[in-house]
Amino acid sequence: MKNVSIRTRVMLVVTALFASIALSQQENNFAIIKPGESLPEVIRKAANVTPSVRQLAWQQQEFIAFAHFGMNTFMDQEWGKGTESPSAFNPSDFDARQWVKVIKDAGMKLLIITAKHHDGFCLWPSKYTDHSVKRSPWKGGRGDVVGEVARACREAGLKFGVYLSPWDRHEPTFGDSPAYSEHFRNQLRELLTNYGEISEVWFDGANGEGPNGKRQIYDWLSYYKVIRELQPQSVIAIMGPDVRWVGTESGYGRETEWSVVPSITQNLDAVAASSQQFPVDGAFAPKDLMADDLGSREKIKNASALVWYPAETDVSIRPGWFYHSSQDNLVKSPTKLVDIYYSSVGRNSVLLLNIPPDKRGRIAGDDIRSLRGMRKILDQTFKANLASGATIIASNEKPGHKASAVIEQHPTSYWITDDDIEFATLEFRLPNNRTFDRLMLQENISIGQRIESFRLEAWSDNAWRMIARGTTVGYKRLLRFPPVTSQKVKLVIDSSRTSPTLFKFGLYKSPPTVTIEPNGGSFESSLRVRLSSDSKNAAIFYTLNGSEPTLKSQRYTRPIDLTRSTQIKAVASLGGELAAESSEALFTKCLKVKSVVFEKPCSAKYPGRGDTTIIDGRRGSLDFQDKEWLGFNGDDVIATIDLGESRSIHKIAIGFLQQQGSWIFLPPEVKFFASDDGTKWKAVGNQGNVLKQTESVVVKDFSCTVKNVSAKFVKVAAKNVGTCPPWHPGVGDKAWLFVDEVIVE
Ligand code: FUL
């Protein structure tokens, strides 16, 4: 299905690009290249393509929210068939104001609701179908989710947008192309007339069969016309002319991200054929779409037209787009969200983060906690521009556009060089030595995107040393690097399409972090652990019982000597403020293992870091892809552990993962054996599984305690459930057994 979705997306984006030309005659957001025009001329034109007013306003939002909510929330699925009964839609405690508060507190500026997903169920009482909230028990059929969310956004000063899936698996006219297009325009008109200002209309690329098995030919241009007429300030995203899909749903945008791209030179068949290379098994393959930039000189030199078509990076805070209680402990961590932020907002893209409300009609606690953690890290990082107060020496500045503008608060002033300059430097002399590890650059994109490569240097030990480099900047570029202390930094713009321009320049320091050395593992009798911070003025607080450290916890003054299994959590504090991110490490006291041998090897797909992964003292997390797990497909796990010499044993334990959404189940039973010679085995214990297979994500230890046993070898035999159970979508297919870690005490 994904194959179809991506291919169709690419094809239709091409169509949308043509349409953008037709619809934006008044603006400079496209340029026609005449046959035979030289490369310098093409580059000059590219450098002067600018965003439309609506595109600029959209880009300035930086960080926006998606709320996937609808029939799928109640059916616990991702793609409905369109045959679901409206009676299933019944949020128990719907609160649009709660969504808006959470989203606003997280720093997002707009909320897009899935007014209709592929199943065709409408969250507003559409006149054009009965498959909507009006047939649901919610509020006696008089509820309107779109209306309540729109109102809550307006009250709180948040922009509002709608996702209206073109693909509709319920609507009987779908596939009867002109009739469905009429239906679709009618629905658009309802949404764009009755709910105040709409700032973004999101058309999905996923497209499959309709209820009658027919495929639909969309009349995109006519849909765009309705939007331009009713909500001219609204951007049309993805299958639309204003905003481009970045090409992945991972949250990670391109390092080189041009907002000016060729409109299109290839024919649609060629695009379709090349997109056949996408994997057909539904596996996400970012490299296929991310391997290249879309707008370098190489890409635009043969274009017949260029267009401002900026990237939007959509990703969900959970594995699914819709809420599933089974994914409550798979909500992306604050650190992961921050990484995504740097890799999207920090790469000239708008981040569209999906926060799916649950069956109550509220955003769940796990998501709120993660968003708060993320916000705290970002706030602590970007609270003060460490370049402020600097004296700036520019290699060139155009009269009226002094370099000092880049560190001033002024909302419109910017630095630009004289015409026809492609190389420039800005040297910043800071008032004193400052320590920083983040760079922020912003071009003044209202006059175009120009910078092709840049580097940041710092003066240390009497020389300029490079500390970071990048290619494109665009609306915003963020770079991370290890902390540097200096009083002089230099931004070198090595190449620019025409006179470079900067709107803002910032240096920042992320909140101090703590390094735990060693970072977890196993030990036999005792272990010395050291903590340190990347900020020398920071104090370190830690706990040894798994609780979150606070300013009242133990303060670190000397190395910690461990004599039993311990989880260390530590956090730095500067000026009495606790850093937003803590560090942790798990130490396991156990007997030293010489080697481990599996009767049948694990699957080549999930080899961890080799067989010894299960005896390295590091525990697998709830994420089955964290390289700490060995995966066995349909096979049992039978592992023989060699202790090297005969030891007295008290306990044997082994951990397994259950993540049924990924076809990973706990073993029904684990048996333990001991031996002195590796041939004659004595059964020393066993443990069955009491947890339900329907239970979602859990790491569970199976163990046995033994008395008066001395052995050189230990054997663990864990049964695979074999195949996925009858209630599971993978029924009959091989089930996975994921193992990590064996602990012998
Ligand atoms: C995809 C859809 O199929 C997903 O369900 C989701 O809406 C995502 C944002 O776009 O193509």
Side-chain angles (χ1 to χ4, degrees):
M1 288 300 233
K2 199 80 204 170
N3 184 29
V4 173
S5 148
I6 295 170
R7 187 174 63 247
T8 316
R9 236 177 210 168
V10 175
M11 267 179 58
L12 292 171
V13 158
V14 170
T15 319
L17 279 168
F18 281 123
S20 83
I21 295 172
L23 288 166
S24 53
Q25 296 295 339
Q26 306 308 316
E27 296 169 329
N28 279 336
N29 76 337
F30 73 96
I32 306 283
I33 312 289
K34 293 189 213 91
E37 267 183 315
S38 66
L39 182 61
E41 188 52 21
V42 174
I43 298 304
R44 193 193 58 76
K45 283 191 172 176
N48 288 294
V49 173
T50 55
S52 63
V53 174
R54 62 176 85 87
Q55 284 173 319
L56 185 58
W58 168 85
Q59 186 96 48
Q60 285 166 340
Q61 299 172 121
E62 297 191 8
F63 188 15
I64 61 179
F66 232 160
H68 274 66
F69 183 64
M71 187 54 84
N72 292 335
T73 314
F74 296 88
M75 303 304 293
D76 210 6
Q77 62 196 9
E78 281 290 309
W79 278 11
K81 291 197 170 62
T83 49
E84 297 79 12
S85 163
S87 65
F89 183 87
N90 198 9
S92 56
D93 192 15
F94 182 83
D95 187 356
R97 288 202 178 102
Q98 187 250 9
W99 307 11
V100 167
K101 179 167 183 349
V102 170
I103 284 163
K104 224 187 148 191
D105 288 352
M108 297 184 250
K109 301 288 191 286
L110 167 137
L111 168 56
I112 301 176
I113 177 135
T114 48
K116 176 180 87 168
H117 203 252
H118 312 327
D119 53 61
F121 183 77
C122 297
L123 293 186
W124 80 102
S126 173
K127 271 200 306 210
Y128 301 97
T129 179
D130 279 337
H131 199 52
S132 81
V133 279
K134 73 183 174 210
R135 280 285 168 94
S136 80
W138 181 59
K139 298 200 167 175
R142 282 183 296 278
D144 181 349
V145 174
V146 176
E148 289 202 35
V149 176
R151 198 171 327 114
C153 284
R154 204 149 306 117
E155 277 168 17
L158 203 67
K159 298 274 184 201
F160 179 62
V162 289
Y163 167 116
L164 187 69
S165 171
W167 181 26
D168 188 326
R169 304 178 89 176
H170 178 84
E171 170 56 31
T173 59
F174 188 90
D176 176 353
S177 295
Y180 178 73
S181 280
E182 180 58 25
H183 172 81
F184 193 71
R185 282 189 298 268
N186 285 337
Q187 292 200 320
L188 256 182
R189 272 196 202 96
E190 285 184 321
L191 289 171
L192 304 185
T193 317
N194 300 334
Y195 299 101
E197 185 178 311
I198 306 285
S199 301
E200 181 159 349
V201 177
W202 216 90
F203 289 148
D204 196 283
N207 184 22
E209 81 294 353
N212 46 14
K214 283 201 230 155
R215 288 182 73 88
Q216 169 75 23
I217 313 284
Y218 299 105
D219 185 1
W220 294 104
L221 213 53
S222 73
Y223 313 155
Y224 303 160
K225 278 188 177 142
V226 172
I227 302 167
R228 294 293 196 241
E229 175 201 323
L230 297 173
Q231 299 276 350
Q233 73 299 323
S234 175
V235 290
I236 311 171
I238 314 309
M239 304 306 290
D242 303 318
V243 170
R244 161 171 56 92
W245 183 45
V246 76
T248 138
E249 291 176 348
S250 65
Y252 291 82
R254 290 179 185 78
E255 293 268 359
T256 299
E257 184 58 82
W258 286 103
S259 294
V260 177
V261 291
S263 59
I264 197 64
T265 45
Q266 306 116 306
N267 67 48
L268 296 184
D269 290 342
V271 176
S274 61
S275 55
Q276 301 293 343
Q277 294 165 12
F278 294 115
V280 285
D281 62 357
F284 173 68
K287 279 201 210 86
D288 295 337
L289 286 159
M290 301 289 297
D292 220 340
D293 70 275
L294 301 179
S296 67
R297 288 177 185 234
E298 196 48 40
K299 296 279 168 183
I300 62 176
K301 69 178 186 205
N302 296 321
S304 56
L306 301 171
V307 63
W308 187 274
Y309 197 35
E312 179 174 79
T313 305
D314 62 328
V315 59
S316 184
I317 194 167
R318 290 162 171 259
W321 288 100
F322 286 88
Y323 175 86
H324 310 288
S325 59
S326 60
Q327 296 181 347
D328 279 348
N329 48 10
L330 296 177
V331 173
K332 291 186 173 64
S333 68
T335 313
K336 175 78 177 170
L337 292 177
V338 168
D339 196 36
I340 285 176
Y341 179 89
Y342 279 104
S343 311
S344 52
V345 176
R347 290 182 183 167
N348 189 29
S349 168
V350 165
L351 171 57
L352 172 57
L353 179 66
N354 178 56
I355 326 282
D358 60 18
K359 287 186 183 177
R360 295 171 306 166
R362 287 172 157 261
I363 294 172
D366 297 293
D367 309 55
I368 298 175
R369 271 187 293 282
S370 252
L371 289 170
R372 281 198 187 133
M374 170 210 71
R375 192 66 255 163
K376 200 165 167 204
I377 298 172
L378 292 176
D379 285 348
Q380 286 188 353
T381 304
F382 295 106
K383 65 179 179 222
N385 184 354
L386 298 168
S388 67
T391 307
I392 309 177
I393 301 152
S395 59
N396 182 289
E397 41 189 30
K398 195 175 196 153
H401 293 281
K402 284 197 170 315
S404 54
V406 304
I407 51 168
E408 282 162 8
Q409 298 294 324
H410 196 276
T412 53
S413 63
Y414 60 94
W415 162 74
I416 189 166
T417 66
D418 286 319
D419 296 348
D420 300 324
I421 292 209
E422 288 168 18
F423 172 89
T425 58
L426 290 182
E427 190 182 315
F428 296 78
R429 301 205 170 150
L430 306 174
N432 46 9
N433 255 336
R434 288 178 177 176
T435 303
F436 45 88
D437 59 4
R438 304 287 185 261
L439 167 69
M440 192 270 303
L441 296 176
Q442 288 192 279
E443 280 183 84
N444 175 21
I445 58 163
S446 64
I447 57 167
Q449 184 184 355
R450 298 164 173 205
I451 296 173
E452 290 179 307
S453 71
F454 65 90
R455 68 201 131 99
L456 184 71
E457 297 181 344
W459 182 259
S460 88
D461 296 334
N462 289 319
W464 285 110
R465 293 172 203 279
M466 194 180 72
I467 50 179
R469 69 187 314 160
T471 52
T472 46
V473 174
Y475 176 74
K476 189 173 259 192
R477 188 71 206 256
L478 297 168
L479 289 183
R480 292 171 283 184
F481 44 86
V484 172
T485 302
S486 181
Q487 202 177 339
K488 273 198 311 192
V489 297
K490 187 161 69 177
L491 178 72
V492 182
I493 298 172
D494 284 310
S495 148
S496 179
R497 287 184 169 174
T498 183
S499 39
T501 156
L502 267 195
F503 176 51
K504 290 284 172 273
F505 173 97
L507 296 173
Y508 302 92
K509 175 69 188 71
S510 62
T513 52
V514 176
T515 303
I516 305 178
E517 188 56 44
N519 192 229
S522 54
F523 63 96
E524 200 160 326
S525 49
S526 72
L527 182 74
R528 176 157 284 196
V529 178
R530 292 189 159 80
L531 310 183
S532 59
S533 168
D534 61 350
S535 172
K536 50 181 186 311
N537 300 326
I540 298 173
F541 296 90
Y542 69 94
T543 62
L544 300 177
N545 60 4
S547 64
E548 279 310 315
T550 66
L551 290 171
K552 294 201 179 105
S553 305
Q554 180 79 31
R555 183 166 176 173
Y556 180 79
T557 49
R558 69 175 87 90
I560 308 163
D561 288 316
L562 302 179
T563 52
R564 60 168 96 115
S565 293
T566 306
Q567 182 175 29
I568 299 186
K569 285 194 177 181
V571 66
S573 149
L574 255 188
E577 190 189 12
L578 222 48
E581 262 175 299
S582 61
S583 308
E584 58 183 87
L586 182 70
F587 300 89
T588 312
K589 187 176 175 183
C590 58
L591 295 179
K592 232 208 220 101
V593 174
K594 198 173 143 219
S595 63
V596 57
V597 177
F598 288 96
E599 210 167 281
K600 271 198 184 159
C602 66
S603 155
K605 273 193 176 169
Y606 297 103
R609 300 178 215 276
D611 286 355
T612 51
T613 305
I614 71 157
I615 51 167
D616 64 1
R618 300 160 64 104
R619 299 298 310 257
S621 68
L622 292 170
D623 174 7
F624 71 95
Q625 288 169 319
D626 71 359
K627 299 230 159 49
E628 297 295 344
W629 293 101
L630 300 189
F632 292 75
N633 200 204
D635 291 330
D636 296 346
V637 169
I638 304 174
T640 303
I641 290 114
D642 182 352
L643 300 170
E645 58 184 301
S646 192
R647 309 289 303 261
S648 142
I649 293 171
H650 310 285
K651 186 178 171 189
I652 311 169
I654 181 164
F656 292 93
L657 175 71
Q658 179 155 288
Q659 205 179 117
Q660 44 100 339
S662 302
W663 306 21
I664 305 167
F665 294 91
L666 290 174
E669 191 183 26
V670 181
K671 289 182 179 156
F672 301 92
F673 305 87
S675 165
D676 247 333
D677 57 7
T679 45
K680 285 199 288 320
W681 293 96
K682 181 176 168 207
V684 291
N686 60 67
Q687 191 183 342
N689 177 30
V690 290
L691 289 178
K692 291 202 188 86
Q693 287 186 333
T694 46
E695 192 135 338
S696 67
V697 189
V698 61
V699 174
K700 163 112 182 83
D701 280 356
F702 291 71
S703 64
C704 75
T705 38
V706 286
K707 275 198 193 123
N708 306 326
V709 172
S710 84
K712 184 166 178 262
F713 298 94
V714 163
K715 193 192 302 205
V716 185
K719 275 217 108 28
N720 190 314
V721 291
T723 54
C724 295
W727 55 268
H728 192 270
V731 52
D733 283 332
K734 279 186 191 169
W736 286 95
L737 182 57
F738 268 58
V739 62
D740 185 61
E741 153 102 16
V742 176
I743 297 159
V744 185
E745 289 175 22

